Amino acid sequence: MRVNQQRLRSDIESNAEFGAVPTDEGRGRTVLSGSEADRRAREFFCERLRDAGLSITIDEVGNIVGRWVPESADPDAAPVATGSHLDSVPEGGIFDGPLGVYAGLESVRAMQDAGIEPVRPVEVVNFTEEEGQRFGGGLIGSAVAVGELSVEEALDIEDADGIPLGDALADIGYRGEGRVDAADWDAWIELHIEQSERLEDANVPAGVVTSIVGLSRCAVEITGEADHAGSTLMDDRSDALAAASEFVLDVERATTERNEVSETAVGTVGKLEVSPNAPNVIAGKVALTVDIRDVAYDSIEYVIDEAEASLDRIEAERPVEASLSHPWDRKPVEMSERCRAALHDAGTDADLETLDLHSGAGHDTMHVAAVTDAALLFAPSRDGISHNPREWTDWEDCADATRVLAGALADLATE
């Protein structure tokens, strides 16, 4: 099979015009679910699906599925599926999500051009609200597709202005009918940019993910007492922010210690809300989140235990009160051996080296793997930059990774 690099590039560059933002360097876009930019991106994708002879279905949460059923295929056989997402973070790059969507479509076109005769249908998917920038915490479309979230629950999720997802999808004409059921798929493969530097450092064009990290989010509140910054002596202070600073360093220390056991363990405090957040007022309250990830779940448990111990110590040593809740927890997900083997074999057939590595981000595949055989394939990211207009994957790398994807899909669809 021959992947048409120019055709793939044209699709991705055309998609980049929807929600394009001015930038001094790179190419940026903002495509929030239910926005005008989202509508235009969806319409263009549907046009390209039709051009390739695929039928289209749109479910009630806006998931789009293009379906190819050649004469060789049994239309009742479980399909092989691929895809990703078209939404973005604010001022994100042009490859995160769209590469997987359009590489999936290009894989189908490559099979068509080569006269491949699948015995199964092949489906190309755009999942709704992967990034979670407007509605909820992300991965909504795939959560519905695997039954983790009901259609009703998803449609009722509101944005910051109180607009439900269902209304936003209806406004742009992409609230369809029914529900995509990922459990009906024989297999699923998602191509995504790596968002790290391992492939670039190794000079390898494609990475086959072995497992997706587990992820836990902890919500922490530390309460002291707001007071005047000038007239309150240091010994009389109940400074919530100073206490929170100790906690942040303890999380960093605990995760670094855990790296002696598992080098992939990471812990991050990336969001703090300080109250009253005034320059001349001692902080009375801090709410923060802790994001803990690793391919080994016991590492996550270790860091959580150390975080709780840190808060106990801080409460004993400082006049503050602290609490930790654990609202979000996902265990690590292993990728399908069958799908991984298909990717490695496809790389060998295309004379392209493939590298085993783990994924530090979830992607929709984290959900899909719960209900069918699933795999995640990475293309190199220049300098590891993502969620940024400077996000870049060379066009040749896009095409090479798509060649691996296409070969694997062809293999699975002709089994």
Side-chain angles (χ1 to χ4, degrees):
M1 288 185 295
R2 302 178 70 88
V3 164
N4 187 322
Q5 179 178 319
Q6 184 54 46
R7 185 167 55 188
L8 176 63
R9 175 176 178 173
S10 177
D11 285 342
I12 295 173
E13 288 191 319
S14 295
N15 181 79
E17 295 301 315
F18 311 130
V21 296
T23 177
D24 293 333
E25 188 177 0
R27 296 185 66 176
R29 67 187 185 105
T30 298
V31 181
L32 303 184
S33 295
S35 66
E36 174 63 14
D38 185 31
R39 182 190 66 78
R40 295 178 64 199
R42 289 167 176 269
E43 287 188 349
F44 179 74
F45 176 50
C46 289
E47 289 174 7
R48 300 304 282 151
L49 290 172
R50 293 189 190 98
D51 289 345
L54 280 70
S55 61
I56 298 170
T57 58
I58 302 166
D59 77 2
E60 200 165 356
V61 298
N63 292 324
I64 300 172
V65 178
R67 180 177 171 89
W68 178 45
V69 189
E71 292 183 1
S72 59
D74 175 1
D76 296 325
V80 173
T82 185
S84 194
H85 62 96
L86 293 174
D87 64 310
S88 79
V89 300
E91 300 184 11
I94 70 171
F95 297 96
D96 178 355
L99 172 59
V101 171
Y102 285 105
L105 175 56
E106 179 56 29
S107 294
V108 170
R109 294 183 298 212
M111 283 188 270
Q112 293 171 338
D113 293 345
I116 301 295
E117 297 185 345
V119 297
R120 300 178 180 278
V122 179
E123 297 186 345
V124 183
V125 182
N126 167 48
F127 281 123
T128 291
E129 187 59 294
E130 193 269 358
E131 295 287 5
Q133 295 299 308
R134 183 177 177 189
F135 297 98
L139 305 178
I140 288 178
S142 55
V144 172
V146 303
E148 183 173 311
L149 188 68
S150 72
V151 169
E152 294 73 21
E153 288 171 329
L155 295 176
D156 286 342
I157 297 173
E158 295 181 349
D159 68 6
D161 296 320
I163 299 172
L165 173 62
D167 290 356
L169 290 171
D171 287 344
I172 64 169
Y174 280 89
R175 179 173 171 177
E177 298 179 348
R179 180 181 74 91
V180 170
D181 189 348
D184 291 339
W185 296 335
D186 174 70
W188 159 268
I189 303 178
E190 179 179 8
L191 172 58
H192 203 279
I193 57 171
E194 184 191 0
Q195 302 172 297
S196 185
E197 300 174 86
R198 292 166 297 178
L199 292 174
E200 184 180 50
D201 290 345
N203 195 30
V204 173
V208 178
V209 173
T210 55
S211 60
I212 298 174
V213 296
L215 190 160
S216 286
R217 289 256 173 89
C218 299
V220 174
E221 287 192 357
I222 299 175
T223 304
E225 184 175 3
D227 215 332
H228 196 285
S231 59
T232 307
L233 297 178
M234 299 304 291
D235 286 345
D236 295 333
R237 297 182 176 213
S238 178
D239 189 331
L241 183 56
S245 300
E246 284 194 34
F247 175 76
V248 172
L249 292 174
D250 282 347
V251 169
E252 180 184 54
R253 185 178 304 108
T255 313
T256 302
E257 290 172 355
R258 189 63 186 179
N259 286 160
E260 296 179 4
V261 176
S262 177
E263 63 180 11
T264 54
V266 292
T268 306
V269 177
K271 180 180 180 181
L272 296 94
E273 296 176 1
V274 181
S275 178
N277 200 29
N280 59 346
V281 182
I282 298 164
K285 185 175 181 179
V286 175
L288 59 87
T289 60
V290 186
D291 182 300
I292 308 162
R293 309 184 188 208
D294 196 22
V295 294
Y297 190 69
D298 56 358
S299 295
I300 295 173
E301 293 177 311
Y302 173 84
V303 177
I304 291 173
D305 289 344
E306 291 297 302
E308 291 174 335
S310 170
L311 292 178
D312 290 342
R313 178 187 61 78
I314 289 169
E315 279 188 312
E317 295 177 356
R318 289 177 173 271
V320 297
E321 295 181 354
S323 65
L324 182 149
S325 60
H326 193 194
W328 199 33
D329 185 71
R330 296 187 183 279
K331 288 183 167 59
V333 178
E334 297 295 319
M335 296 293 94
S336 158
E337 290 290 342
R338 176 170 74 106
C339 294
R340 288 180 56 217
L343 288 167
H344 282 301
D345 289 346
T348 299
D349 291 343
D351 198 26
L352 294 168
E353 185 179 357
T354 52
L355 178 69
D356 281 334
L357 37 67
H358 81 284
S359 174
H363 309 296
D364 290 306
T365 298
M366 173 180 278
H367 279 151
V368 178
V371 297
T372 192
D373 287 350
L376 182 60
L377 178 68
F378 281 157
S381 296
R382 182 181 296 173
D383 297 326
I385 296 171
S386 184
H387 287 187
N388 183 307
R390 293 191 295 119
E391 168 185 287
W392 189 258
T393 296
D394 289 340
W395 296 114
E396 184 175 353
D397 287 334
C398 290
D400 283 344
T402 302
R403 289 168 64 194
V404 176
L405 174 67
L409 293 173
D411 180 36
L412 294 168
T414 54
E415 282 184 346

